[in-house]
Amino acid sequence: VTVDLVVSDGTVVGPDGIFQASVAVDDGQIVSIGSGNLMPKAEKTISASGKLVLPGGIDPHVHFRDPGFEYKEDFYSGTMSAAFGGVTTIMDMPNTLPPVIDVESFQEKKRSVSQRSVVDFCLLAGVGPRTTRNVGPLAAAGAIYFKTLMGGYEPEKNVTEADMMSFGDGELLEVFKAVADTDRVVSIHAESQGLWRHFLAAMQSQGRNDVAAYALSRPSLVESAAVSKAILIAKEARCKLHVVHTSAKESVEMVLRARDRGQQVTFETCPHYLFFTAGELEPLGPTGLMNPPVRSEEDREALWKAIRNSDMDVVGTDHAPHSDEEKKRGLKSIWETAPGIVGVETLLPLMTTEALKGRITLQQLVRLTSQNAAQLFGIYPKKGAIAIGSDADFAIVDPKKSKVIRAEDLHSKSRSTPFIGWEVKGVPTTTILRGQVIVDDDGELVAKPGSGQFVHPSAGA
Ligand code: DOR
């Protein structure tokens, strides 16, 4: 037999160990893993000698803005950015226009973005008190997980998000119960509306209009109070709770305590919370602002500790592009800036750099950037593993190659990231999706728009 592809002689980071091996791929799936001389004949061979073969990255948290805000990002630019970063599956957030809150908007988005995607994609659905009846049908339609916003948004201004706001405690309980019935995971944007309003009013009444004041308007209590409440309410509702973009030490402590008591609570953090403190981002002005903001050294260290102890579930990016004009509004009034930075393209290089420095193991690297997300959201082992029968999604990484992250090299429509100028080691040189090279070792995108496929939870089983 002749197979489609053999990736030969790489250092393969599998779910249960790291070994020198070749990987044979046929019809998009891994058919054999073993020593090079035992591989079947192949149409195409890619040498991974001296390279790491990682499962393609899974970013469980991106905002690709499509449909509705294509001037910020669209599915082509967003997934292209993913492909160059070695990310082969993304999970896209529902705050598009129309927002993804019912089966109709879900199906329409799925149909539309699949024409532009160059990596595989999953779609979230938003849920709020007015839309709980849609949760069952959305789960059946393939929503990867659900999202609800506990606060930190202005209902008058953020109309796109209006139907995902569960600011009231009873509302949150009803939303969690609705998701519990589907056995999917519900994620929270964990900011307390009441506390945020309180601190924001304090800053504004002092006439503050500076970057530091932005962070002070959403201190760690704003997040941790929301996390604490959500954990209690999720327990009552018996639903699986996931905290996205975790930034505060107290949030980490509460998630771990709930888990010790047997509750299913998982959490994500993002590179910006791991690599920056508030003071370090201040010189960047509005470019460095996102919700929640980056915090203190103590918070940052608590997140790293959770990573080192293998408690942290996933590192996602909250890739949140905005136009330059929207970011620059913050130069005049910090309260008017658009919060968010891009990240999908720099996730794997940044985290691989830490693995190569020995701060985390290679096994932890692939769990945090691929395997755990696939398991948590039900698409494992189709995604997230280099194993026989899994999709042949790989990031081939050169551990000896360094490069400096430069704005002009990024593929998102936004270049708003605090990582410009950072030197990373372990750069993805080739990205492979279901056995097809999508970014080649000349750094060219070879995938056609529309080659990415929709992935949904029952596909993983
Ligand atoms: O900074 C942020 N921007 N945080 C979020 O949670 C949402 C995101 C966006 O949609 O721009």
Side-chain angles (χ1 to χ4, degrees), residues 61 63 65 72 93 95 147 149 153 161 189 191 214 244-245 272-273 289-293 318-322 327 338-341:
H61 189 165
H63 296 265
R65 311 296 193 199
K72 298 177 197 256
M93 287 290 152
N95 56 340
K147 169 103 168 263
L149 314 172
Y153 282 84
E161 286 84 3
H189 178 97
E191 289 191 297
Y214 190 93
V244 294
H245 50 50
H272 38 285
Y273 305 117
L289 293 182
M290 75 295 289
N291 299 335
D318 193 11
H319 178 94
H322 295 285
K327 291 299 283 182
I341 57 168

